[in-house]
Amino acid sequence: MLIQPWDAAVDDAEWQAWLARTDRFGVLAVNNLDPAAAPLLVPTHFTWAGGQLLLHLARPNPVWAHLEVATEVRLAVIGDYAYIPTYWRAKAGGPDEDGVPTSYYSAVQFVCRPTIIDDPDGKAQILAAQLEDFQPEGRHAPVAAGEDPYGRMLPGIRGIRLEVLRVEAKFKYDDSNPVEHRERVIGYLETRHHGLDAGAAAQQRHRLDVIGDWKNHRGQR
């Protein structure tokens, strides 16, 4: 994806902190065996495990034949997005109707090397890690191969470990525009309060606090 300098993550800690606040739900993209056909896109929860992503999918999923031969796949996560209308972005002194609309959003994409996990113990480890991630309060039976209730269900899934090769992180919130403009849009988002406006406003405020005026920030780098 295109990442302008002012849209880039300040550092790895920024996108990692953002990811930790999300539901860690994304889209796994796998090249099609037929190069003339569209790639396969699989919506899925995943667990970030420091350099790798863990997930599992149902055995009947049509992605497996394509995933088995893939050397690289991409997993994309998008959040805190909002449509920014024309009249919010009009240039100072110009008519509102001459403004240019845009989209605000946070996006993290992982380029990964996949490994399919079929042994029962390996799948149980992935399930246990995901339950700890998404259900930290517990209230579920132990996950172990050969033990009910989950042990007998393991043949119905396959696990996936994705070794993260590189990360592309983008936070698109008009950071190249003047501080006054960004503060004004934050107010508009908080007033409109539609969909993910609150999250977009919070992200824009965070970026404003970290970056401040882009021209000065750029000069300090």
Side-chain angles (χ1 to χ4, degrees):
M1 64 181 163
L2 171 65
I3 304 177
Q4 299 284 11
W6 50 84
D7 296 332
V10 174
D11 51 29
D12 288 345
E14 182 178 19
W15 68 258
Q16 290 173 4
W18 178 81
L19 188 70
R21 294 193 299 269
T22 73
D23 293 328
R24 291 172 297 291
F25 189 88
V27 175
L28 175 66
V30 182
N31 286 336
N32 199 304
L33 283 168
D34 180 354
L40 285 83
L41 302 179
V42 183
T44 180
H45 274 103
F46 65 92
T47 291
W48 165 254
Q52 63 180 353
L53 309 178
L54 306 177
L55 60 139
H56 68 279
L57 300 172
R59 187 170 291 275
N61 197 300
V63 77
W64 294 116
H66 310 270
L67 189 59
E68 285 167 353
V69 300
T71 55
E72 285 192 2
V73 299
R74 189 178 290 262
L75 193 146
V77 189
I78 301 173
D80 294 329
Y81 51 81
Y83 172 75
I84 307 303
T86 57
Y87 48 89
W88 288 11
R89 300 184 81 237
K91 292 184 178 179
D96 286 352
E97 58 267 27
D98 287 353
V100 178
T102 194
S103 298
Y104 284 177
Y105 58 86
S106 299
V108 178
Q109 296 188 10
F110 300 94
V111 177
C112 307
R113 179 180 295 113
T115 300
I116 298 172
I117 307 298
D118 273 324
D119 70 278
D121 287 332
K123 290 190 287 187
Q125 290 172 7
I126 289 176
L127 284 179
Q130 292 203 270
L131 281 169
E132 183 178 357
D133 183 14
F134 294 109
Q135 195 174 319
E137 72 274 18
R139 302 185 65 178
H140 61 79
V143 182
E147 294 186 17
D148 285 339
Y150 302 114
R152 56 186 167 80
M153 303 178 190
L154 291 176
I157 65 169
R158 304 179 80 183
I160 306 173
R161 292 182 184 270
L162 299 177
E163 177 192 353
V164 177
L165 304 177
R166 57 188 183 274
V167 180
E168 300 170 6
K170 180 175 182 176
F171 298 95
K172 185 174 180 288
Y173 295 98
D174 264 341
D175 289 331
S176 62
N177 278 338
V179 169
E180 295 77 12
H181 168 87
R182 289 139 69 194
E183 289 176 336
R184 184 171 64 251
V185 175
I186 289 171
Y188 289 150
L189 286 165
E190 291 176 340
T191 299
R192 186 173 69 178
H193 201 66
H194 170 77
L196 300 181
D197 283 352
Q203 274 301 103
Q204 190 174 37
R205 191 181 301 281
H206 161 74
R207 296 281 290 183
L208 184 61
D209 290 343
V210 172
I211 294 173
D213 183 88
W214 168 253
K215 293 180 181 178
N216 294 334
H217 178 79
R218 178 178 57 181
Q220 295 169 3
R221 298 183 73 176

